PDB file of all heavy atoms in Angstrom:
ATOM      1  N   PRO A 799      -7.080  99.647  58.851  1.00 94.00           N
ATOM      2  CA  PRO A 799      -6.700 100.684  59.811  1.00 94.00           C
ATOM      3  C   PRO A 799      -5.774 100.124  60.887  1.00 94.00           C
ATOM      4  O   PRO A 799      -5.502  98.918  60.932  1.00 94.00           O
ATOM      5  CB  PRO A 799      -8.037 101.138  60.385  1.00 94.00           C
ATOM      6  CG  PRO A 799      -8.984 100.061  60.105  1.00 94.00           C
ATOM      7  CD  PRO A 799      -8.480  99.248  58.952  1.00 94.00           C
ATOM      8  N   GLU A 800      -5.319 101.019  61.783  1.00 87.00           N
ATOM      9  CA  GLU A 800      -4.406 100.584  62.834  1.00 87.00           C
ATOM     10  C   GLU A 800      -5.049  99.560  63.754  1.00 87.00           C
ATOM     11  O   GLU A 800      -4.380  98.703  64.324  1.00 87.00           O
ATOM     12  CB  GLU A 800      -3.919 101.796  63.630  1.00 87.00           C
ATOM     13  CG  GLU A 800      -3.004 102.721  62.823  1.00 87.00           C
ATOM     14  CD  GLU A 800      -2.501 103.888  63.628  1.00 87.00           C
ATOM     15  OE1 GLU A 800      -2.886 103.989  64.825  1.00 87.00           O
ATOM     16  OE2 GLU A 800      -1.725 104.703  63.087  1.00 87.00           O
ATOM     17  N   SER A 801      -6.333  99.629  63.912  1.00 89.00           N
ATOM     18  CA  SER A 801      -7.048  98.640  64.708  1.00 89.00           C
ATOM     19  C   SER A 801      -8.334  98.259  63.988  1.00 89.00           C
ATOM     20  O   SER A 801      -8.921  99.061  63.260  1.00 89.00           O
ATOM     21  CB  SER A 801      -7.355  99.188  66.109  1.00 89.00           C
ATOM     22  OG  SER A 801      -8.205 100.333  66.018  1.00 89.00           O
ATOM     23  N   GLY A 802      -8.781  97.034  64.184  1.00 88.00           N
ATOM     24  CA  GLY A 802      -9.997  96.573  63.540  1.00 88.00           C
ATOM     25  C   GLY A 802      -9.723  95.892  62.215  1.00 88.00           C
ATOM     26  O   GLY A 802      -8.574  95.701  61.789  1.00 88.00           O
ATOM     27  N   GLY A 803     -10.802  95.492  61.553  1.00 94.00           N
ATOM     28  CA  GLY A 803     -10.683  94.772  60.294  1.00 94.00           C
ATOM     29  C   GLY A 803     -10.648  95.681  59.093  1.00 94.00           C
ATOM     30  O   GLY A 803     -10.430  96.898  59.195  1.00 94.00           O
ATOM     31  N   TRP A 804     -10.858  95.065  57.927  1.00 97.00           N
ATOM     32  CA  TRP A 804     -10.799  95.798  56.674  1.00 97.00           C
ATOM     33  C   TRP A 804     -11.877  96.883  56.607  1.00 97.00           C
ATOM     34  O   TRP A 804     -13.003  96.679  57.029  1.00 97.00           O
ATOM     35  CB  TRP A 804     -10.984  94.842  55.506  1.00 97.00           C
ATOM     36  CG  TRP A 804      -9.856  93.863  55.348  1.00 97.00           C
ATOM     37  CD1 TRP A 804      -9.882  92.538  55.660  1.00 97.00           C
ATOM     38  CD2 TRP A 804      -8.562  94.141  54.857  1.00 97.00           C
ATOM     39  NE1 TRP A 804      -8.670  91.954  55.377  1.00 97.00           N
ATOM     40  CE2 TRP A 804      -7.837  92.936  54.873  1.00 97.00           C
ATOM     41  CE3 TRP A 804      -7.916  95.300  54.404  1.00 97.00           C
ATOM     42  CZ2 TRP A 804      -6.519  92.844  54.459  1.00 97.00           C
ATOM     43  CZ3 TRP A 804      -6.601  95.216  53.984  1.00 97.00           C
ATOM     44  CH2 TRP A 804      -5.917  93.994  54.024  1.00 97.00           C
ATOM     45  N   LYS A 805     -11.517  98.010  56.012  1.00 97.00           N
ATOM     46  CA  LYS A 805     -12.443  99.115  55.855  1.00 97.00           C
ATOM     47  C   LYS A 805     -12.522  99.501  54.379  1.00 97.00           C
ATOM     48  O   LYS A 805     -11.516  99.759  53.733  1.00 97.00           O
ATOM     49  CB  LYS A 805     -12.015 100.321  56.689  1.00 97.00           C
ATOM     50  CG  LYS A 805     -13.070 101.424  56.722  1.00 97.00           C
ATOM     51  CD  LYS A 805     -12.722 102.494  57.743  1.00 97.00           C
ATOM     52  CE  LYS A 805     -13.793 103.579  57.776  1.00 97.00           C
ATOM     53  NZ  LYS A 805     -13.499 104.616  58.797  1.00 97.00           N
ATOM     54  N   ARG A 806     -13.713  99.495  53.866  1.00 97.00           N
ATOM     55  CA  ARG A 806     -13.951  99.854  52.468  1.00 97.00           C
ATOM     56  C   ARG A 806     -13.671 101.339  52.256  1.00 97.00           C
ATOM     57  O   ARG A 806     -14.062 102.179  53.081  1.00 97.00           O
ATOM     58  CB  ARG A 806     -15.395  99.522  52.122  1.00 97.00           C
ATOM     59  CG  ARG A 806     -15.940 100.111  50.865  1.00 97.00           C
ATOM     60  CD  ARG A 806     -17.423  99.761  50.758  1.00 97.00           C
ATOM     61  NE  ARG A 806     -18.072 100.472  49.663  1.00 97.00           N
ATOM     62  CZ  ARG A 806     -19.381 100.373  49.405  1.00 97.00           C
ATOM     63  NH1 ARG A 806     -20.152  99.585  50.156  1.00 97.00           N
ATOM     64  NH2 ARG A 806     -19.893 101.062  48.387  1.00 97.00           N
ATOM     65  N   PHE A 807     -12.997 101.670  51.138  1.00 96.00           N
ATOM     66  CA  PHE A 807     -12.766 103.085  50.884  1.00 96.00           C
ATOM     67  C   PHE A 807     -12.920 103.510  49.427  1.00 96.00           C
ATOM     68  O   PHE A 807     -12.955 104.689  49.133  1.00 96.00           O
ATOM     69  CB  PHE A 807     -11.394 103.528  51.425  1.00 96.00           C
ATOM     70  CG  PHE A 807     -10.218 103.110  50.580  1.00 96.00           C
ATOM     71  CD1 PHE A 807      -9.601 103.992  49.708  1.00 96.00           C
ATOM     72  CD2 PHE A 807      -9.691 101.834  50.677  1.00 96.00           C
ATOM     73  CE1 PHE A 807      -8.504 103.608  48.949  1.00 96.00           C
ATOM     74  CE2 PHE A 807      -8.598 101.450  49.922  1.00 96.00           C
ATOM     75  CZ  PHE A 807      -7.995 102.336  49.053  1.00 96.00           C
ATOM     76  N   LYS A 808     -13.073 102.562  48.476  1.00 97.00           N
ATOM     77  CA  LYS A 808     -13.219 102.991  47.091  1.00 97.00           C
ATOM     78  C   LYS A 808     -13.828 101.889  46.245  1.00 97.00           C
ATOM     79  O   LYS A 808     -13.407 100.742  46.306  1.00 97.00           O
ATOM     80  CB  LYS A 808     -11.858 103.390  46.498  1.00 97.00           C
ATOM     81  CG  LYS A 808     -11.906 103.884  45.057  1.00 97.00           C
ATOM     82  CD  LYS A 808     -12.667 105.193  44.917  1.00 97.00           C
ATOM     83  CE  LYS A 808     -12.665 105.685  43.472  1.00 97.00           C
ATOM     84  NZ  LYS A 808     -13.414 106.960  43.324  1.00 97.00           N
ATOM     85  N   ASP A 809     -14.870 102.237  45.446  1.00 98.00           N
ATOM     86  CA  ASP A 809     -15.392 101.394  44.369  1.00 98.00           C
ATOM     87  C   ASP A 809     -14.981 102.021  43.048  1.00 98.00           C
ATOM     88  O   ASP A 809     -15.096 103.242  42.868  1.00 98.00           O
ATOM     89  CB  ASP A 809     -16.904 101.271  44.432  1.00 98.00           C
ATOM     90  CG  ASP A 809     -17.390 100.365  45.563  1.00 98.00           C
ATOM     91  OD1 ASP A 809     -16.536  99.793  46.276  1.00 98.00           O
ATOM     92  OD2 ASP A 809     -18.618 100.255  45.737  1.00 98.00           O
ATOM     93  N   THR A 810     -14.521 101.212  42.109  1.00 98.00           N
ATOM     94  CA  THR A 810     -14.075 101.742  40.829  1.00 98.00           C
ATOM     95  C   THR A 810     -14.217 100.678  39.751  1.00 98.00           C
ATOM     96  O   THR A 810     -14.197  99.476  40.033  1.00 98.00           O
ATOM     97  CB  THR A 810     -12.610 102.204  40.896  1.00 98.00           C
ATOM     98  OG1 THR A 810     -12.187 102.682  39.603  1.00 98.00           O
ATOM     99  CG2 THR A 810     -11.675 101.065  41.317  1.00 98.00           C
TER     100      THR A 810
END
Side-chain angles (χ1 to χ4, degrees):
E800 292 182 359
S801 62
W804 293 106
K805 189 170 181 178
R806 165 185 171 183
F807 76 100
K808 181 66 178 180
D809 286 358
T810 178

